[in-house]
Amino acid sequence: MTVKGNVRFIQGNEAMAEGALAAGARFFAGYPITPSSEIAEVSSRRLPKLGGVYVQMEDEIGSIAAVIGASVAGKKSFTATSGPGFSLMQENLGVAVMAEVPCVIINVQRSGPSTGLATKPAQGDVMQCRWGTHGDHGIIVLSPSSVQDCYDLTIKAFSLAEEYRTPVILLADEIVGHMREKVVFQELQTDEIKVRKAPGCSPEYYKPFRLGEGVTPLACYGGEHVFRVSGSTHDEWGFACSRPGNAEKYIRHYTEKIENNRDRIVLTREYNLSDAEYTIVTFGCTTRSALEAMYIARSTGKRVGVLELVTLWPFAEESVMEACQNARAVIVPEMNLGQVLREVQRVVGRNIPVVGVNKVDSKAIRPAEILDKIREVETCLV
Amino acid sequence: MSSIKYDDYLLKDKLPLFWCGGCGNGNVLGSILRAFANLKFKRQKTVVVTGIGCWGKADDYINTNTFHGTHGRALAFATGIKLANPDLNVIALMGDGDGATIGGNHLIHAARRNVDITAVLVNNFNYGMTGGQYSGTTPEHSFTSTSRYGHIEEGFDLCKLAAAAGAPFVARGTVYGITQLDKLVEQALCKKGFSFVEVITPCPTHFGRLNGLKTASLMLNWIKENSVTKNQAEKMSDGEIRGKFVTGVFVDVDKEDYSTRYKKLQQRAAEAVEGGCDK
Ligand SMILES: Cc1ncc(C[n+]2csc(CCOP(=O)(O)OP(=O)(O)O)c2C)c(N)n1
Ligand code: SF4
């Protein structure tokens, strides 16, 4: 991205709303919920000025439905919510997967399950993002660790949604959402904003679910191409189709269009990994403590490095393997009971110890807690 | 110029219809397609949004744009479609389970918001698709596959519900009175704002079978016997009206629809006139 831009000091939630507008989003449907409500409020003020639409639906089921409908009608669309609302969205998230409708869902995580602690942070929705809607599928999930990320990754989320015709989840958390930091609204270059391409073929040949040539362009209602969209298992034209072979083809397609493009989708950040004896694998707000722990450790001569998973799903298997294979041990701090930990263990295998720093008391993980864990592992390894 | 006919909107190669013999869904589909033809709807500018259920499969036979989503959510998908592109004709087709039970909340709020959508809700008093269980409109004392001892709940009067929620056009027709239904659907499609048409429809396979009406003719007769016009109903007592299907147009008023109001809001926003006492 070009560095020219407008510098602001704002909240993460506000930055996500601004990122969406910068990406060209012109439709928001949502239902207010702490700690995400500022995204709705900013959108309600800003969208109408830009000719866009903000609508507050009767619940989150309706919100994501309206977002999906608006996207098929040609508007880049998004919603924002937190745990209870995200749970309500799961069924229709599957419609976006099945009907291959681009849209962005922001989940500013709070402590659950159920109503939980409405105002407190957590990172407990990692697996819900991956598997929350029923049935096999692929999904793209990005996780911001700074207010700048909130802006940049929201823009990225819209691009990925259009490119892969898929819902993209921006998995933030209460800390990042409510944190205030400097953010630069970069001037975007045109290729950074994906514009939906109209199908090239003439209307009578348009198959909205054509397989075999990557991702088929999605037309918009109201244009020349008349088409069918369906959440039922369908054929290339969108007609319900119950042939077993057909279901198999599409379920594999939904998974593979994302998993097979891991190298193009996955974003990670590496800090001091080249000589690291201890690798911390982290994401979201916890990244901040992980980096601080790394700096403190380095200042005492301990070779600690950090791998930040900016993309949580598809899982950064190659980067994790590379970052961990020469480490004496791997530490995975997260504000849940080990959702990313188990993924890292799966990738790294049994030869290297992979241990978690897991906290669900609704307080951020402190650098000292990560350092304590490194020390503990160190003593066990001697 | 040749005139447009109902079957210009019909996917003839998808026939025969998947519905049971004696089901009323095909008749309602006919009314809708005839109204499309009379109003010369452009396929490109029309989106039919369906829910899930037997009636929810109606889009399988319609050659306009279609959207087939989830059970109960047709109006929420339709709201997004319409607000994103107000030039589209958006029609939502829902069953009584779909549109009035699991999706009841979307119905009242779509009506209240006055989004310019036409909703055609086919009421066959049960969940046809899943084997005839009771729904929010199943009449008290009737039998369904999950009310074998007689239903103890009262059924919704959906027209009263839609009217109370603020819909500017509310009507009820039946599959027995197709001429009237044709007119009601056409009127609803012409209405600017949220229009609601409930259609009383036979499901001989489930509701009929358990309630002594297992043939199409018995069911149609039952509908005929129990239908009264709005004018007749006005002269009847509450007791006499119980269990009857009152037909006709109950609400037909002019009200600014959501997209028109939103356009004005956009103008105010562009002129930076934010309201609120904190200003
Ligand atoms: C969330 C959800 N719950 C339950 C179902 C199962 N289901 C499918 S159709 C249906 C009822 C359909 O009844 P109605 O809407 O009255 O339509 P009909 O089949 O009678 O035309 C149900 C319960 C579903 N598809 N989704
Ligand atoms: S089960 Fe009932 S509603 Fe469904 S097709 Fe048969 S008759 Fe119609």
Side-chain angles (χ1 to χ4, degrees):
Chain A
M1 285 186 192
T2 38
V3 196
K4 251 172 70 188
N6 177 0
V7 181
R8 301 266 301 273
F9 184 75
I10 55 169
Q11 207 187 44
N13 279 345
E14 204 177 338
M16 287 186 263
E18 291 292 346
L21 302 178
R26 291 296 178 268
F27 186 93
F28 178 102
Y31 190 91
I33 183 166
T34 306
S36 76
S37 300
E38 295 85 358
I39 301 172
E41 287 169 6
V42 172
S43 302
S44 76
R45 284 184 162 188
R46 299 268 286 115
L47 274 167
K49 286 182 200 281
L50 301 169
V53 173
Y54 168 91
V55 61
Q56 206 163 291
M57 294 297 287
E58 45 279 11
D59 57 29
E60 289 86 347
I61 301 173
S63 300
I64 185 168
V67 161
I68 291 167
S71 178
V72 185
K75 290 267 197 292
K76 282 191 183 175
S77 308
F78 71 120
T79 185
T81 188
S82 187
F86 191 58
S87 291
L88 285 182
M89 289 183 185
Q90 295 306 319
E91 186 194 11
N92 283 341
L93 181 60
V95 174
V97 169
M98 190 68 135
E100 301 187 72
V101 179
C103 56
V104 172
I105 298 125
I106 301 174
N107 175 1
V108 186
Q109 292 169 99
R110 69 189 222 184
S111 177
S114 187
T115 303
L117 294 166
T119 61
K120 304 287 187 193
Q123 295 181 298
D125 303 350
V126 175
M127 282 297 169
Q128 189 186 20
C129 284
R130 180 64 191 88
W131 296 115
T133 197
H134 55 285
D136 276 295
H137 60 281
I139 194 88
I140 299 178
V141 180
L142 308 177
S143 170
S145 64
S146 66
V147 176
Q148 186 68 54
D149 263 1
C150 287
Y151 184 74
D152 296 342
L153 293 183
T154 307
I155 296 170
K156 183 85 194 161
F158 278 96
S159 293
L160 290 167
E162 291 293 333
E163 189 167 349
Y164 295 96
R165 258 184 79 175
T166 181
V168 175
I169 298 163
L170 194 69
L171 188 63
D173 51 67
E174 189 277 336
I175 293 177
V176 168
H178 282 159
M179 183 159 73
R180 281 178 191 275
E181 284 184 316
K182 183 181 110 172
V183 48
V184 186
F185 290 178
Q186 283 105 340
E187 250 173 49
L188 296 170
Q189 301 185 342
T190 42
D191 62 344
E192 285 168 316
I193 299 188
K194 282 262 165 351
V195 179
R196 200 179 297 171
K197 278 186 283 191
C201 63
S202 69
E204 60 276 29
Y205 298 115
Y206 176 53
K207 294 179 179 174
F209 301 101
R210 188 191 193 104
L211 291 176
E213 289 168 26
V215 178
T216 294
L218 178 64
C220 300
Y221 289 148
E224 277 308 298
H225 296 79
V226 174
F227 65 105
R228 323 176 59 81
V229 173
S230 178
S232 292
T233 301
H234 49 69
D235 62 14
E236 295 193 310
W237 299 97
F239 284 110
C241 174
S242 54
R243 268 183 285 116
N246 181 67
E248 166 108 17
K249 269 196 302 198
Y250 277 95
I251 292 170
R252 290 195 184 280
H253 167 67
Y254 302 139
T255 307
E256 286 166 5
K257 71 176 179 181
I258 289 166
E259 290 297 331
N260 292 356
N261 284 305
R262 264 209 313 265
D263 55 335
R264 299 182 56 214
I265 297 171
V266 168
L267 294 172
T268 56
R269 296 191 185 112
E270 298 174 5
Y271 303 89
N272 292 325
L273 282 175
S274 56
D275 66 343
E277 285 188 307
Y278 296 94
T279 296
I280 307 175
V281 179
T282 183
F283 66 99
C285 64
T286 303
T287 304
R288 311 295 284 257
S289 299
L291 289 175
E292 187 60 21
M294 177 192 77
Y295 293 129
I296 296 169
R298 287 264 163 187
S299 71
T300 65
K302 217 175 276 176
R303 301 212 300 265
V304 173
V306 169
L307 176 71
E308 179 187 357
L309 305 177
V310 178
T311 308
L312 278 175
W313 304 108
F315 196 67
E317 299 190 2
E318 292 77 7
S319 311
V320 168
M321 194 62 203
E322 206 178 301
C324 301
Q325 61 191 356
N326 295 321
R328 295 186 69 199
V330 179
I331 319 293
V332 187
E334 49 187 330
M335 294 177 71
N336 62 50
L337 294 182
Q339 299 188 21
V340 168
L341 173 71
R342 280 189 291 273
E343 283 301 295
V344 177
Q345 284 170 336
R346 174 178 69 80
V347 170
V348 172
R350 289 170 176 274
N351 293 336
I352 302 166
V354 180
V355 295
V357 178
N358 302 102
K359 229 174 129 171
V360 286
D361 69 351
S362 79
K363 290 209 185 106
I365 295 173
R366 286 177 292 114
E369 291 169 304
I370 300 171
L371 289 167
D372 285 350
K373 182 59 77 179
I374 295 175
R375 241 172 263 127
E376 184 190 318
V377 174
E378 222 173 6
T379 31
C380 296
L381 288 176
V382 207
Chain B
M1 202 185 91
S2 64
S3 68
I4 302 174
K5 294 195 315 299
Y6 84 96
D7 60 355
D8 291 335
Y9 300 90
L10 183 69
L11 287 163
K12 293 183 207 81
D13 56 334
K14 294 288 164 184
L15 300 177
L17 301 170
F18 125 110
W19 297 309
C20 309
C23 177
N25 290 348
N27 306 69
V28 188
L29 178 65
S31 286
I32 291 169
L33 300 190
R34 280 189 291 276
F36 283 4
N38 286 344
L39 299 171
K40 301 190 170 55
F41 271 15
K42 281 189 79 163
R43 290 171 56 226
Q44 288 85 347
K45 295 282 172 210
T46 304
V47 187
V48 172
V49 185
T50 51
I52 307 295
C54 292
W55 177 230
K57 287 188 73 68
D59 66 278
D60 285 9
Y61 309 106
I62 304 177
N63 69 11
T64 62
N65 292 294
T66 60
F67 189 103
H68 182 66
T70 39
H71 188 39
R73 317 302 167 193
L75 282 171
F77 289 110
T79 297
I81 293 167
K82 182 70 190 185
L83 300 190
N85 183 352
D87 294 337
L88 296 169
N89 304 311
V90 182
I91 298 98
L93 308 184
M94 306 170 291
D96 49 295
D98 197 53
T101 312
I102 191 171
N105 203 27
H106 305 303
L107 173 62
I108 58 180
H109 286 280
R112 177 185 62 81
R113 272 185 205 108
N114 197 18
V115 186
D116 183 20
I117 294 169
T118 296
V120 180
L121 191 148
V122 159
N123 182 3
N124 58 17
F125 309 102
N126 74 164
Y127 294 165
M129 184 72 139
T130 44
Q133 299 84 4
Y134 65 77
S135 81
T137 63
T138 301
E140 200 182 351
H141 309 307
S142 56
F143 299 98
T144 69
S145 63
T146 48
S147 60
R148 300 294 292 228
Y149 305 107
H151 193 43
I152 58 169
E153 303 172 13
E154 283 185 35
F156 256 134
D157 181 328
L158 296 180
C159 287
K160 283 189 179 153
L161 182 72
F169 185 90
V170 179
R172 183 185 288 118
T174 76
V175 159
Y176 183 80
I178 282 293
T179 318
Q180 180 195 34
L181 184 62
D182 281 3
K183 253 172 62 189
L184 295 177
V185 171
E186 202 173 311
Q187 265 178 288
L189 287 171
C190 290
K191 187 78 196 176
K192 182 92 174 153
F194 187 78
S195 50
F196 178 79
V197 182
E198 178 189 355
V199 190
I200 304 298
T201 311
C203 170
T205 303
H206 298 300
F207 190 81
R209 186 171 47 87
L210 288 186
N211 291 281
L213 306 161
K214 66 178 174 193
T215 65
S217 61
L218 282 171
M219 277 230 81
L220 278 178
N221 248 323
W222 174 72
I223 292 174
K224 178 187 154 198
E225 299 292 311
N226 287 291
S227 294
V228 294
T229 64
K230 200 180 118 193
N231 290 344
Q232 289 168 326
E234 273 160 15
K235 297 181 199 99
M236 292 162 74
S237 71
D238 284 356
E240 288 170 324
I241 250 173
R242 245 184 123 75
K244 297 278 186 269
F245 314 126
V246 185
T247 63
V249 176
F250 304 103
V251 182
D252 188 2
V253 295
D254 289 326
K255 243 193 214 186
E256 218 169 37
D257 76 298
Y258 191 93
S259 295
T260 309
R261 291 181 197 201
Y262 205 86
K263 245 197 186 95
K264 291 183 182 169
L265 180 153
Q266 286 172 330
Q267 275 156 15
R268 292 201 296 278
E271 292 154 11
V273 194
E274 263 188 39
C277 296
D278 60 339
K279 292 290 123 198

